[in-house]
């Protein structure tokens, strides 16, 4: 826990430092920077003990035309044998909006890339490369969203993973609520490297509610999330995460609360539980996690 507190202190200091940076008021660019930290404790696992991760992401958008994001993170996974996996992840994306007079909103084109390196002595989870294109549509009223995404993950030792992620989103209650459902349809090329699974399918559901300004001491948003089904070697383009440390994820529940501290400074706290299965040894276990995201935009 001391390590977590030190990481959190460093992240908070970094974000406060960002407040000293500003763009000219007339700039056509909008920029957002976020620092993140995650702690997970494995309950019932015969192999895993705990997980800690921290990261930084910078996103920039030019008017309503497009933009890019760059991110890096560090993860440490502790095993009950005393050994560790120390992992570095790098992420980038580019996005571009195309407008048609016949459509009530833009078509957005996006391309994500991930590179993951670690000290896994087997090499199975090291030097992972992911390329993930996506096409999406959001109407101007922000009441309807749809996308289709694809991810190709390349692993060492004879494994490639194909993933399709269709998404639908709906806004209602005068913009105060948003409901989103995303499918994960994943097909590993080598079932011996995928817990004897030739394919998995899962559905991720999120409901978000925005509170009226000034309510709940600055509380701005609440989000409930749930994952149902099974997925392995997933790529989550919403969280910019690659689940390369493979066991089968069999569901999750989470609750997130976001506060607006100033006009441009936000803090999100999330807690939840993920269920996993190591199918090879028949071990079912949980990851109880806490997550914080501190972001500043200008």
């Amino acid at each position: 826990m001391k390590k977590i507190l030190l990481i959190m202190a460093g992240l908070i200091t970094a974000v406060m430092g960002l407040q000293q940076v500003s763009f000219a008021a007339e700039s056509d660019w909008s920029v957002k920077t976020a620092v993140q930290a995650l702690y997970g404790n494995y309950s019932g696992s015969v192999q895993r003990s705990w997980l800690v991760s921290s990261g930084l992401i910078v996103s920039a958008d030019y008017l309503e035309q497009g933009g890019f994001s760059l991110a890096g993170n560090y993860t440490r996974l502790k095993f009950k044998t005393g050994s560790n996996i120390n992992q570095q992840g790098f992420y980038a994306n580019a996005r571009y909006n195309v407008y048609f007079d016949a459509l009530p909103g833009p078509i957005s084109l996006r391309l994500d890339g991930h590179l993951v390196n670690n000290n896994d002595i087997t090499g199975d989870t090291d030097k992972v490369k992911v390329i993930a294109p996506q096409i999406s549509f959001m109407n101007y009223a922000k009441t309807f969203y749809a996308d289709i995404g694809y991810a190709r993950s390349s692993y060492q030792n004879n494994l490639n993973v194909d993933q399709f992620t269709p998404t639908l989103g709906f806004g209602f209650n005068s913009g105060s609520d948003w409901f989103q459902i995303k499918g994960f349809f994943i097909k590993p090329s080598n079932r011996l490297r995928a817990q004897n699974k030739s394919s998995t399918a899962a559905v991720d559901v999120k409901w978000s509610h925005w509170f009226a300004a000034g309510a709940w001491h600055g509380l701005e948003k609440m989000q409930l999330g749930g994952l149902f089904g099974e997925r392995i070697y997933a790529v989550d383009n919403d969280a910019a995460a690659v689940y390369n440390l493979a066991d089968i994820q069999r569901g999750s529940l989470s609750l997130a609360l976001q506060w607006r501290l100033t006009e441009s400074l936000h803090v999100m706290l999330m807690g939840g539980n993920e269920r996993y299965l190591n199918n090879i040894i028949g071990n079912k276990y949980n990851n109880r996690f806490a997550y914080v995201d501190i972001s500043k935009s200008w």
Side-chain angles (χ1 to χ4, degrees):
M1 183 59 68
K2 182 178 179 181
K3 295 177 183 177
I4 306 302
L5 294 175
L6 289 173
I7 291 173
M8 293 296 300
L11 293 178
I12 293 171
T13 301
V15 171
M16 293 307 178
L18 294 174
Q19 296 189 69
Q20 306 303 317
V21 183
S22 63
F23 274 42
E26 65 272 17
S27 173
D28 293 329
W29 286 91
S30 59
V31 178
K32 180 179 178 180
T33 304
V35 288
Q36 305 161 338
L38 170 73
Y39 175 75
N41 182 52
Y42 294 104
S43 173
S45 174
V46 300
Q47 295 177 322
R48 301 184 181 191
S49 183
W50 51 260
L51 174 87
V52 63
S53 180
S54 61
L56 170 69
I57 183 168
V58 178
S59 297
D61 288 279
Y62 182 75
L63 297 176
E64 299 295 325
Q65 297 182 12
F68 64 91
S69 299
L70 299 171
N73 65 74
Y74 171 79
T75 301
R76 186 178 187 187
L77 173 62
K78 183 75 170 181
F79 291 94
K80 292 190 173 178
T81 59
S83 62
N84 302 313
I85 283 184
N86 299 306
Q87 178 168 285
Q88 304 82 42
F90 305 95
Y91 165 76
N93 86 20
R95 47 198 180 271
Y96 183 72
N97 298 326
V98 183
Y99 295 85
F100 298 96
D101 292 338
L103 293 178
I107 298 292
S108 298
L109 307 175
R110 172 174 160 177
L111 182 64
D112 292 14
H114 297 264
L115 178 63
V116 180
N117 295 315
N118 61 35
N119 62 334
D120 182 356
I121 59 174
T122 70
D124 285 350
T125 64
D126 187 20
K127 294 182 173 60
V128 180
K129 302 178 180 67
V130 179
I131 189 76
Q134 175 185 286
I135 182 169
S136 63
F137 171 80
M138 168 88 75
N139 66 352
Y140 293 121
K142 300 188 185 303
T143 57
F144 176 76
Y145 172 84
D147 76 40
I148 181 69
Y150 168 74
R152 173 74 168 185
S153 304
S154 300
Y155 289 77
Q156 300 187 107
N157 303 332
N158 189 31
L159 176 64
N160 294 303
V161 182
D162 295 303
Q163 172 184 288
F164 289 93
T165 51
T167 306
L168 288 174
F170 304 93
F172 55 99
N173 195 19
S174 300
S176 296
D177 293 275
W178 182 263
F179 177 81
Q180 178 175 294
I181 182 169
K182 179 190 290 287
F184 286 84
F185 301 97
I186 302 172
K187 188 174 181 60
S189 66
N190 183 353
R191 64 182 299 163
L192 297 179
R193 287 283 316 281
Q195 300 278 314
N196 289 322
K197 291 285 185 176
S198 58
S199 65
T200 63
V203 174
D204 182 69
V205 179
K206 291 187 176 72
W207 168 60
S208 302
H209 175 76
W210 280 263
F211 296 95
W216 296 87
H217 305 286
L219 182 62
E220 182 178 44
K221 183 176 75 170
M222 175 184 70
Q223 183 180 87
L224 291 172
L227 179 76
F228 306 92
E230 293 186 340
R231 67 182 189 180
I232 191 169
Y233 294 117
V235 178
D236 189 333
N237 59 356
D238 291 339
V242 178
Y243 288 79
N244 65 308
L245 301 174
D247 276 346
I248 302 169
Q249 189 178 8
R250 307 181 69 208
S252 69
L253 291 173
S254 65
L255 169 65
L257 299 174
Q258 178 173 295
W259 285 266
R260 173 179 289 190
L261 302 185
T262 69
E263 188 64 28
S264 61
L265 188 63
H266 302 260
V267 173
M268 173 184 283
L269 300 177
M270 178 186 291
N273 183 75
E274 300 172 329
R275 296 189 297 117
Y276 286 93
L277 167 66
N278 184 322
N279 202 35
I280 304 301
I281 61 176
N283 180 212
K284 298 178 181 180
Y285 62 94
N286 295 283
N287 175 29
R288 294 163 183 163
F289 67 88
Y291 168 83
V292 62
D293 180 290
I294 308 171
S295 64
K296 178 172 173 59
S297 56
W298 59 85

